[in-house]
Amino acid sequence: MKNWQGKRYWLVGASEGLGREVAFCLSRAGAEVIVSARSEDRLKALVEELPGKANYVAVDVADRTAVEAVAREIGGIDGVVYLAGVYWPMKAQEWDNEKADMMGEVNFLGASRVVGSVIKDMIAKNAGHIVLVGSLSGFRGLPGAIGYCSSKAGMMSLAESMQADLRTSPIDVQLINPGFIKTRLTEKNDFNMPFIMSAEDAAKEVFDHMNTDTFKKSFPMVFSWVFRLSQLMPDWMYYRLFGAK
């Protein structure tokens, strides 16, 4: 277990769902948390509930200038956790450019903007912790997931590239790929979601991994095997099993 006392962590995408619960995990452990999202009202309410030292700064991760300004305002941090995400079910036959763009902006480019706004300071002080929360859907394309799968695959590749560059440095990079979590986003799905977890249980998985020195964690474990093994399948087999029927 890491010593979280006195550490400062910036959580982006923390106003509800998984991000909110991870904020509670860190706060209970003794870390100071700065929470960000677009909804100032929700952030303010969260800060009032957290048991430890906490503050909030509203930000739209689609706005690079705003992200960089908030990073400067927050100042020195020990770690950043990127949990922001948007999702709409979308088939190729029902393509919506506005929604597809927003998934790319928030799920992938937002993560890049946030990391790019803090990593130079981490490199300068030779210490830091970067945690990106992706999705099992990033392993391979799925039906009805235009925009979402590709944005999560981008985040996965981003984390893997950072790990390749920073793995021998004092800056820790971690990638966490959850399965289905019961949130406002998954309420949009009209299909059965195997192994769906509560936000509280998923946050415990995230925080447990943050206490390790391991790069990547995918959960629930059994469900994650399906996605990891799918990468080994030839195309004809994969799309017969997972493509549109």
Side-chain angles (χ1 to χ4, degrees), residues 51-52 82 96 109 124 144 150 189 233 242:
Y82 192 86
D96 183 320
L109 290 176
S150 54
N189 290 333
M233 291 182 185
F242 294 96

mmCIF file of all heavy atoms in Angstrom, residues 51-52 82 96 109 124 144 150 189 233 242:
data_model
loop_
_atom_site.group_PDB
_atom_site.id
_atom_site.type_symbol
_atom_site.label_atom_id
_atom_site.label_comp_id
_atom_site.label_asym_id
_atom_site.label_seq_id
_atom_site.Cartn_x
_atom_site.Cartn_y
_atom_site.Cartn_z
ATOM 1 N N PRO A 51 -14.023 13.430 2.725
ATOM 2 C CA PRO A 51 -13.578 13.497 4.122
ATOM 3 C C PRO A 51 -12.271 14.246 4.345
ATOM 4 O O PRO A 51 -11.982 14.682 5.455
ATOM 5 C CB PRO A 51 -13.420 12.020 4.502
ATOM 6 C CG PRO A 51 -13.136 11.320 3.212
ATOM 7 C CD PRO A 51 -13.936 12.062 2.177
ATOM 8 N N GLY A 52 -11.462 14.382 3.310
ATOM 9 C CA GLY A 52 -10.165 15.026 3.460
ATOM 10 C C GLY A 52 -10.076 16.356 2.735
ATOM 11 O O GLY A 52 -11.078 16.901 2.261
ATOM 12 N N TYR A 82 -7.092 10.402 -15.105
ATOM 13 C CA TYR A 82 -8.028 10.832 -16.146
ATOM 14 C C TYR A 82 -9.161 9.834 -16.253
ATOM 15 O O TYR A 82 -8.961 8.682 -16.634
ATOM 16 C CB TYR A 82 -7.326 10.980 -17.499
ATOM 17 C CG TYR A 82 -8.207 11.691 -18.511
ATOM 18 C CD1 TYR A 82 -8.226 13.080 -18.559
ATOM 19 C CD2 TYR A 82 -9.040 10.980 -19.368
ATOM 20 C CE1 TYR A 82 -9.049 13.752 -19.459
ATOM 21 C CE2 TYR A 82 -9.866 11.645 -20.265
ATOM 22 C CZ TYR A 82 -9.869 13.031 -20.304
ATOM 23 O OH TYR A 82 -10.688 13.691 -21.182
ATOM 24 N N ASP A 96 -23.196 9.700 -36.550
ATOM 25 C CA ASP A 96 -23.495 11.074 -36.131
ATOM 26 C C ASP A 96 -22.156 11.765 -35.889
ATOM 27 O O ASP A 96 -21.478 11.489 -34.895
ATOM 28 C CB ASP A 96 -24.350 11.054 -34.860
ATOM 29 C CG ASP A 96 -24.767 12.442 -34.389
ATOM 30 O OD1 ASP A 96 -23.945 13.371 -34.462
ATOM 31 O OD2 ASP A 96 -25.919 12.587 -33.929
ATOM 32 N N LEU A 109 -8.531 12.768 -26.924
ATOM 33 C CA LEU A 109 -7.776 14.021 -26.967
ATOM 34 C C LEU A 109 -7.771 14.729 -25.620
ATOM 35 O O LEU A 109 -6.784 15.383 -25.256
ATOM 36 C CB LEU A 109 -8.339 14.940 -28.050
ATOM 37 C CG LEU A 109 -8.092 14.482 -29.493
ATOM 38 C CD1 LEU A 109 -8.776 15.429 -30.472
ATOM 39 C CD2 LEU A 109 -6.602 14.407 -29.791
ATOM 40 N N ALA A 124 10.480 17.583 -14.862
ATOM 41 C CA ALA A 124 11.410 18.532 -14.255
ATOM 42 C C ALA A 124 11.731 18.166 -12.799
ATOM 43 O O ALA A 124 12.877 18.307 -12.355
ATOM 44 C CB ALA A 124 10.832 19.938 -14.320
ATOM 45 N N GLY A 144 -21.832 -1.360 -33.155
ATOM 46 C CA GLY A 144 -22.578 -0.313 -32.474
ATOM 47 C C GLY A 144 -21.732 0.584 -31.605
ATOM 48 O O GLY A 144 -22.246 1.225 -30.688
ATOM 49 N N SER A 150 -12.865 3.330 -30.798
ATOM 50 C CA SER A 150 -11.653 3.934 -31.368
ATOM 51 C C SER A 150 -11.026 4.938 -30.411
ATOM 52 O O SER A 150 -9.794 5.026 -30.305
ATOM 53 C CB SER A 150 -11.964 4.591 -32.710
ATOM 54 O OG SER A 150 -13.018 5.516 -32.595
ATOM 55 N N ASN A 189 -27.403 1.801 -22.923
ATOM 56 C CA ASN A 189 -27.341 0.514 -23.618
ATOM 57 C C ASN A 189 -28.652 -0.254 -23.490
ATOM 58 O O ASN A 189 -29.262 -0.285 -22.412
ATOM 59 C CB ASN A 189 -26.199 -0.340 -23.059
ATOM 60 C CG ASN A 189 -24.828 0.210 -23.424
ATOM 61 O OD1 ASN A 189 -24.687 0.876 -24.450
ATOM 62 N ND2 ASN A 189 -23.834 -0.072 -22.610
ATOM 63 N N MET A 233 -7.589 -13.701 -32.411
ATOM 64 C CA MET A 233 -8.471 -14.365 -33.371
ATOM 65 C C MET A 233 -8.248 -13.834 -34.776
ATOM 66 O O MET A 233 -8.059 -12.626 -34.964
ATOM 67 C CB MET A 233 -9.936 -14.117 -32.998
ATOM 68 C CG MET A 233 -10.405 -14.792 -31.750
ATOM 69 S SD MET A 233 -12.175 -14.429 -31.491
ATOM 70 C CE MET A 233 -12.423 -15.202 -29.893
ATOM 71 N N PHE A 242 -18.389 -11.626 -33.115
ATOM 72 C CA PHE A 242 -18.674 -10.342 -32.504
ATOM 73 C C PHE A 242 -19.265 -9.306 -33.447
ATOM 74 O O PHE A 242 -19.675 -8.222 -33.023
ATOM 75 C CB PHE A 242 -17.397 -9.755 -31.879
ATOM 76 C CG PHE A 242 -16.879 -10.554 -30.723
ATOM 77 C CD1 PHE A 242 -15.877 -11.495 -30.920
ATOM 78 C CD2 PHE A 242 -17.393 -10.396 -29.460
ATOM 79 C CE1 PHE A 242 -15.377 -12.255 -29.855
ATOM 80 C CE2 PHE A 242 -16.915 -11.145 -28.396
ATOM 81 C CZ PHE A 242 -15.904 -12.073 -28.595
#
